[in-house]
Amino acid sequence: MIPWKKISDFTFVAEKCQDADTLAKYVFDHLNQLIQFDGAVLLILDSDGACQHFYQTGRHHRMETTKNCFQKNLVQEISREYRHHYPSLAECVLDSRRVVDPSLKKYMERLGVREVFGLGLWDGDGRLRCIFSLERQSKLAFSHEDKQVVDIIFHHLNNLYQNLAKEDSQENLKQLPLTKREREIGRLLMRGMNNDQVADQLGISPATVAKHIANMHHKLGVQTQQELLVKLFNSNGNV
């Protein structure tokens, strides 16, 4: 049976997410309320398709510091499957017995993964921005009901994500002489986050956040956090 009450509760909370990455993380953390799986991976991509963040069973990694070659191969394999079979809304199942990529096949066999259920979220320009990889180790494959639940919620989630991604893209602060990371921090500060919250959101230390903010102060010629926020909000960019 389709768990309509759980779906309703799940989407109700999802609709309260304030930005695209928070929505993606909420889905990752709570999708097991609707679909049973043994392990999960979330990959958040930038607009160029490069991986920004990697979450696995509750752990967050910066992609550039993570050495597991599986990540890159998973992105390539699932992204290729998505674009070939599901050009608008992504959903595919990779069976370990049929996977072609040798690194991905080795990864699945080493962990005893029978199937990987791949799901995606796309921005308004048709770019794949999030990949959810749900892993099932048992011999029991993902069911028709599981796929029905995905069909029901992911159309709605994609609409939510596209709206939030559009809002996020309007906060790039690209006209300011800041690095990409400094713009990310600036955007979160504009949303009222403190240094600890920014650090948690980006998967870096509060000390690193403070160092970036100090650099932003120097570049923008400000001395206080209030002056920095005024500068950001009055930047005449897409804020």
Side-chain angles (χ1 to χ4, degrees):
M1 295 179 60
I2 302 297
W4 291 108
K5 178 62 167 60
K6 290 183 178 180
I7 289 174
S8 177
D9 293 342
F10 181 89
T11 55
F12 177 78
V13 177
E15 289 171 355
K16 296 183 178 298
C17 293
Q18 298 297 309
D19 61 78
D21 284 357
T22 300
L23 174 63
K25 189 61 167 55
Y26 167 76
V27 174
F28 176 73
D29 288 337
H30 297 90
L31 192 57
N32 61 356
Q33 296 175 359
L34 304 177
I35 303 172
Q36 295 303 308
F37 47 85
D38 299 308
V41 169
L42 166 60
L43 297 157
I44 297 180
L45 316 180
D46 64 19
S47 58
D48 296 321
C51 294
Q52 286 186 307
H53 300 280
F54 168 67
Y55 296 88
Q56 184 176 32
T57 58
R59 296 170 57 199
H60 172 253
H61 307 269
R62 289 291 298 169
M63 288 300 295
E64 59 265 30
T65 62
T66 308
K67 304 301 182 183
N68 194 340
C69 67
F70 147 72
Q71 298 157 27
K72 180 179 179 181
N73 293 326
L74 179 67
V75 172
Q76 293 174 340
E77 183 76 10
I78 293 183
S79 182
R80 181 165 51 246
E81 290 289 320
Y82 283 170
R83 297 181 186 282
H84 180 68
H85 297 293
Y86 305 94
S88 58
L89 178 62
E91 168 191 327
C92 70
V93 176
L94 301 180
D95 190 314
S96 61
R97 298 167 297 180
R98 302 187 183 91
V99 170
V100 176
D101 183 273
S103 297
L104 181 55
K105 185 176 183 67
K106 182 178 180 180
Y107 165 85
M108 295 176 71
E109 291 177 346
R110 177 167 56 87
L111 295 184
V113 175
R114 161 68 186 277
E115 282 189 345
V116 172
F117 194 179
L119 308 166
L121 292 175
W122 305 70
D123 65 20
D125 295 319
R127 293 172 298 201
L128 183 63
R129 300 298 298 271
C130 298
I131 294 176
F132 300 86
S133 169
L134 312 182
E135 301 169 355
R136 181 165 283 183
Q137 296 175 332
S138 66
K139 293 183 179 180
L140 184 64
F142 286 101
S143 67
H144 177 66
E145 181 180 302
D146 291 332
K147 297 171 186 177
Q148 282 185 306
V149 170
V150 167
D151 284 340
I152 292 168
I153 64 171
F154 262 75
H155 284 283
H156 183 50
L157 291 176
N158 260 279
N159 288 334
L160 289 175
Y161 186 86
Q162 288 175 8
N163 289 333
L164 292 171
K166 182 178 180 180
E167 293 175 7
D168 288 349
S169 69
Q170 294 176 341
E171 298 178 354
N172 286 328
L173 306 177
K174 288 185 176 180
Q175 73 288 347
L176 295 178
L178 303 175
T179 66
K180 181 177 180 180
R181 171 60 89 198
E182 289 165 353
R183 290 196 299 270
E184 286 182 318
I185 290 172
R187 174 165 54 86
L188 296 177
L189 292 176
M190 292 165 66
R191 292 179 180 171
M193 292 189 183
N194 59 37
N195 286 17
D196 289 341
Q197 291 170 325
V198 171
D200 182 65
Q201 176 76 12
L202 298 179
I204 58 179
S205 71
T208 300
V209 172
K211 183 177 180 180
H212 282 299
I213 291 176
N215 290 337
M216 294 165 70
H217 282 198
H218 176 72
K219 290 179 179 180
L220 300 180
V222 299
Q223 295 184 353
T224 68
Q225 196 85 331
Q226 182 177 355
E227 290 176 347
L228 174 62
L229 289 171
V230 169
K231 193 81 170 183
L232 295 175
F233 278 113
N234 293 333
S235 59
N236 292 324
N238 295 321
V239 178

